[in-house]
Amino acid sequence: MQTVLVPVDGSPGSGRALPTAVWLARLTGTTLVLCTVTEAGTDPAAILQAAASGGDGIGDHVEVILTDVAPAPGIVDEGERRPECVVVMATRGEQSPDRSLLGSVAELVVAGTSRPVVLVGPACLASAEATAAPVLVADDGSEPARHAARRSAGLVAALGHPVVVAQVAAGDRVGLASSHTVDALSAEGISASQRVVTGDDPVAGLLSLAEEIGAALIVVGSHGSSGSGVRVLGTTAAGVVHAAHCPVVVVRPPMLFG
């Protein structure tokens, strides 16, 4: 991983994502890139300057990017042109995960980028102290889940945290699905343990395990389609993002871009 990209617009929402972006950049030793867009009635240069000077522990390896295209395409383009880039964004604090959870810009970024997107949900707590907590990788045996694990491998390896691959399944369906992801991570030089959570509700199972192990990050694949809110993420990913106490890395498989 080479870059952590965080869009800022001066709003409380974008400000909520900045501590997580700073935390990731500091722990991985990568460059933190702040970007904003030009809009009527705003001073983007002032927004960038305030974000760069206001982030606690933001460090010296910071770039600021000013783009004059629409917000979502500008963020996607900036992320795609940078190798091994991770995008960090905050979601809206809606009351349920199916009511425009992300906000229009975040929805379009998740839908349009091949990069892992770290979403800071409404229940997310400060991550600055989670310096050695495990990364929880969700695996339901699907290709989107395996793709998410592979695409997040650079971030996971750079963090150097313990990794737990989790499968949530009913008792009569428990199998070895997550062993394939453990093997895939091993091929990337990442050692991971395996946990199976028995149950019918993948969201509840993943959140319960995340609390049990004190997860620093949760990695999920998206089963969503084009659209908005829960349709972009898929039901499980949307539920996890909405209620998780840690940031959630979401990766959409290539066939879902756009």
Side-chain angles (χ1 to χ4, degrees):
M1 193 177 79
Q2 299 180 21
T3 304
V4 175
L5 175 68
V6 56
V8 293
D9 61 10
S11 69
S14 70
R16 285 197 306 113
L18 189 56
T20 293
V22 171
W23 169 68
L24 290 173
R26 186 181 71 248
L27 287 185
T28 59
T30 53
T31 298
L32 178 65
V33 176
L34 309 178
C35 70
T36 193
V37 298
T38 301
E39 294 181 341
T42 64
D43 184 350
I47 291 172
L48 286 169
Q49 182 178 7
S53 61
D56 182 28
I58 203 168
D60 298 324
H61 302 289
V62 179
E63 295 181 19
V64 292
I65 301 296
L66 179 63
T67 178
D68 59 0
V69 299
I75 296 165
V76 170
D77 290 347
E78 192 62 36
E80 293 294 323
R81 79 177 186 84
R82 293 174 176 270
E84 300 301 321
C85 179
V86 173
V87 181
V88 182
M89 302 185 73
T91 70
R92 286 179 175 173
E94 296 290 352
Q95 295 301 309
S96 64
D98 59 352
R99 292 182 56 212
S100 191
L101 170 70
L102 301 184
S104 59
V105 174
E107 287 171 5
L108 292 170
V109 172
V110 171
T113 185
S114 65
R115 305 305 189 198
V117 180
V118 180
L119 294 175
V120 179
C124 184
L125 305 176
S127 56
E129 300 302 320
T131 55
V135 175
L136 178 61
V137 179
D139 186 17
D140 59 4
S142 68
E143 178 52 33
R146 288 190 291 270
H147 178 77
R150 290 192 297 266
R151 292 291 290 127
S152 300
L155 169 60
V156 172
L159 284 174
H161 288 205
V163 179
V164 177
V165 176
Q167 177 191 8
V168 180
D172 59 352
R173 297 198 304 272
V174 172
L176 298 177
S178 58
S179 66
H180 299 296
T181 297
V182 171
D183 292 341
L185 291 171
S186 179
E188 299 291 336
I190 300 170
S191 176
S193 61
Q194 183 179 345
R195 291 284 300 269
V196 176
V197 180
T198 303
D200 293 313
D201 186 340
V203 174
L206 290 171
L207 292 174
S208 176
L209 181 57
E211 288 296 302
E212 176 188 333
I213 67 176
L217 286 174
I218 302 173
V219 177
V220 295
S222 168
H223 291 264
S225 60
S226 60
S228 63
V230 69
R231 288 180 293 172
V232 169
L233 291 183
T235 304
T236 298
V240 172
V241 170
H242 177 72
H245 290 162
C246 64
V248 179
V249 185
V250 177
V251 183
R252 282 168 61 82
M255 72 284 289
L256 295 181
F257 296 158

